[in-house]
């Protein structure tokens, strides 16, 4: 009988111990489920507002060199890559008709001189003088037009970038004989967001970089602002001029343009506080308040080293979580880690 009592007491003690341990374990587990987090207070700061754009280099002027009518090409005087000056002869077309017209102009000039002498002594009428003058003027106009289409001149200083015919070919009027580009300065066209329209001014400096010239920085200025907004993209075009005295920059190059639009008051947060929602392209942060966290969507601006500029979604003085985000959910209680 004593053995049974001792055994009963032992079982009861073990049962009490197990129940006690179970309660203690559950309490410990509940405490462990509340994660410890570190937070950082955010503040408004002055942030430089810069815009990044891409563009393709274009010549300042592009001229296609061709006569106004088809004809045989006698001589092309330049090659691709040749630097030319304004007014320089580039192409000579067939000059047979030019010689004939020069003789015709000389004849009309002599005829006009004779009629003018007769008119001065009353031997010719005013109508005869006017007719002689009209014939001479028409012949001179035709001669000038034919002369311009016999010796083709460069309308600008630049570089020959294309040659589409050889000496002796017949120009058919479809493609130009030569192309001349003025590449000092060069220009770039970029599309700027409508939100920056008020900040963009003619003469504003811009910074330009080219992937092909790694580490080099070039300077340009805004030369033209297009007056309309594209209703589809909500952007407007801006033209930039860039000095290119050494011809280092060539049309067709890929350029990266940076414009400083001034400064603005923005919230700055550490990059470790920002969470990108997979598959949506949206960004969030956890904001700490009254012992729990709120899953808050934010609009990012520029990346500033190890921080992000926040355009919207946070207020001055908010506490953002910078650790243990994988353990958190919206509304979850947390402990602040010192």
């Amino acid at each position: 009988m004593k053995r049974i009592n001792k055994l009963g007491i032992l079982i009861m003690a073990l049962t009490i111990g197990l129940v006690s341990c179970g309660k203690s374990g559950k309490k410990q587990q509940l405490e462990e489920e509340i994660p410890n987090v570190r937070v950082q207070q955010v503040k408004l700061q002055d942030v430089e507002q810069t815009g990044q754009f891409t563009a393709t280099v274009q010549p300042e002027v592009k001229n296609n060199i061709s006569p106004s009518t088809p004809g045989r090409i006698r001589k092309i005087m330049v090659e691709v890559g040749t630097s030319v000056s304004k007014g320089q002869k580039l192409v000579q077309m067939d000059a047979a008709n030019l010689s004939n017209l020069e003789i015709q102009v000389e004849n009309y000039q002599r005829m006009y001189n004779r009629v003018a002498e007769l008119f001065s002594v009353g031997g010719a009428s005013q109508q005869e003088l006017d007719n002689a003058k009209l014939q001479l003027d028409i012949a001179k106009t035709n001669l000038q037009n034919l002369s311009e289409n016999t010796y083709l001149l460069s309308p600008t200083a630049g570089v020959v970038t294309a040659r589409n015919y050889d000496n002796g070919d017949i120009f058919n009027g479809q493609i130009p004989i030569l192309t001349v580009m003025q590449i000092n300065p060069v220009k770039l066209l970029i599309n700027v967001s409508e939100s920056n329209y008020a900040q963009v001014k003619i003469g504003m400096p811009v910074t330009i970089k080219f992937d092909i010239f790694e580490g080099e920085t070039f300077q340009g200025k805004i030369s033209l602002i297009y007056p309309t907004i594209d209703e589809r993209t909500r952007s407007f075009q801006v033209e930039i001029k860039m000095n290119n005295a050494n011809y280092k920059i060539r049309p067709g190059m890929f350029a990266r343009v940076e414009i400083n639009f001034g400064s603005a008051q923005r919230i700055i947060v550490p990059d470790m506080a920002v969470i990108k929602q997979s598959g949506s392209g949206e960004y969030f942060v956890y904001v700490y308040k009254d012992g729990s966290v709120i899953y808050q969507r934010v609009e990012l601006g520029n990346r500033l080293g190890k921080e992000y500029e926040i355009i919207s979604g946070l207020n001055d003085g908010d506490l953002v979580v910078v650790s243990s985000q994988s353990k958190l959910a919206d509304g979850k209680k947390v402990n602040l880690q010192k």
Side-chain angles (χ1 to χ4, degrees):
M1 190 69 179
K2 288 183 178 179
R3 281 185 185 177
I4 293 173
N5 287 339
K6 287 181 180 179
L7 182 60
I9 292 170
L10 180 61
I11 291 171
M12 186 178 295
L14 289 172
T15 302
I16 293 171
L18 289 171
V19 170
S20 177
C21 288
K23 289 182 178 179
S24 176
K26 285 184 179 179
K27 182 178 179 181
Q28 184 177 358
Q29 185 179 2
L30 287 172
E31 289 178 352
E32 288 176 353
E33 286 178 353
I34 300 178
N36 295 320
V37 298
R38 289 186 295 109
V39 298
Q40 182 170 322
Q41 188 176 45
V42 296
K43 295 182 179 180
L44 282 170
Q45 301 179 32
D46 283 327
V47 179
E48 293 292 329
Q49 299 300 295
T50 58
Q52 311 288 336
F53 309 91
T54 59
T56 300
V57 177
Q58 300 180 22
E60 169 70 357
V61 177
K62 178 181 178 180
N63 292 119
N64 292 320
I65 309 300
S66 300
S68 59
T69 58
R72 187 173 296 280
I73 301 169
R74 287 299 178 191
K75 186 178 182 181
I76 299 177
M77 305 173 185
V78 291
E79 294 292 340
V80 172
T82 302
S83 296
V84 298
S85 57
K86 183 177 181 178
Q88 180 178 335
K89 289 182 179 180
L90 304 179
V91 180
Q92 179 185 345
M93 303 297 291
D94 192 340
N97 293 334
L98 181 63
S99 299
N100 294 334
L101 196 52
E102 286 174 342
I103 294 172
Q104 190 178 25
V105 169
E106 291 175 1
N107 290 335
Y108 280 125
Q109 184 68 58
R110 285 194 294 269
M111 184 183 301
Y112 173 76
N113 292 340
R114 285 197 300 269
V115 174
E117 289 176 5
L118 291 172
F119 178 77
S120 65
V121 297
S125 66
Q126 181 67 51
Q127 184 177 0
E128 289 174 321
L129 180 64
D130 290 343
N131 287 340
K133 181 66 166 59
L134 179 61
Q135 288 178 322
L136 176 60
D137 289 345
I138 291 173
K140 283 183 175 179
T141 300
N142 291 338
L143 177 62
Q144 181 180 357
N145 182 58
L146 187 58
S147 177
E148 290 175 352
N149 285 277
T150 299
Y151 292 97
L152 307 184
L153 311 180
S154 177
T156 186
V159 176
V160 179
T161 59
R163 171 177 171 166
N164 301 310
Y165 294 85
D166 291 321
N167 295 336
D169 286 346
I170 298 295
F171 169 68
N172 57 18
Q174 294 182 353
I175 56 176
I177 299 174
L178 299 171
T179 299
V180 175
M181 292 185 181
Q182 182 183 341
I183 60 174
N184 181 33
V186 291
K187 64 183 180 182
L188 302 92
L189 286 175
I190 60 175
N191 292 312
V192 180
S193 172
E194 176 185 11
S195 61
N196 296 120
Y197 192 84
Q199 285 80 40
V200 178
K201 307 294 182 185
I202 290 179
M204 279 180 63
V206 303
T207 301
I208 306 168
K209 295 180 180 180
F210 300 90
D211 292 352
I212 193 172
F213 301 123
E214 188 175 354
E216 290 190 62
T217 301
F218 301 82
Q219 302 301 316
K221 288 186 177 180
I222 293 175
S223 58
L224 180 64
I225 301 170
Y226 283 66
T228 57
I229 307 294
D230 188 318
E231 62 183 15
R232 294 168 302 172
T233 62
R234 295 300 173 190
S235 64
F236 61 98
Q237 282 197 313
V238 172
E239 182 181 286
I240 296 165
K241 292 283 182 69
M242 174 185 164
N243 182 51
N244 189 32
N246 57 6
Y247 289 1
K248 186 173 184 176
I249 307 304
R250 297 303 175 102
M253 283 184 174
F254 177 77
R256 301 182 188 275
V257 179
E258 181 178 294
I259 302 178
N260 189 327
F261 296 114
S263 62
Q265 288 269 295
R266 293 281 191 261
I267 298 289
I268 303 298
V269 302
D271 57 3
M272 65 182 68
V274 178
I275 305 163
K276 184 179 185 301
Q277 191 173 65
S278 178
S280 70
E282 296 182 342
Y283 294 87
F284 294 81
V285 298
Y286 282 106
V287 178
Y288 175 82
K289 187 175 182 180
D290 299 330
S292 61
V293 293
I294 301 169
Y295 196 50
Q296 178 66 45
R297 182 178 180 274
V298 293
E299 181 182 356
L300 298 186
N302 292 323
R303 188 182 180 99
L304 310 171
K306 294 184 177 181
E307 297 177 314
Y308 277 109
E309 170 191 17
I310 302 297
I311 296 175
S312 64
L314 291 177
N315 297 312
D316 187 26
D318 280 348
L319 296 173
V320 297
V321 178
V322 295
S323 70
S324 307
Q325 287 97 328
S326 61
K327 301 177 181 179
L328 305 182
D330 188 33
K332 189 175 182 66
K333 291 188 176 297
V334 295
N335 292 321
L336 289 185
Q337 181 180 339
K338 301 298 185 181

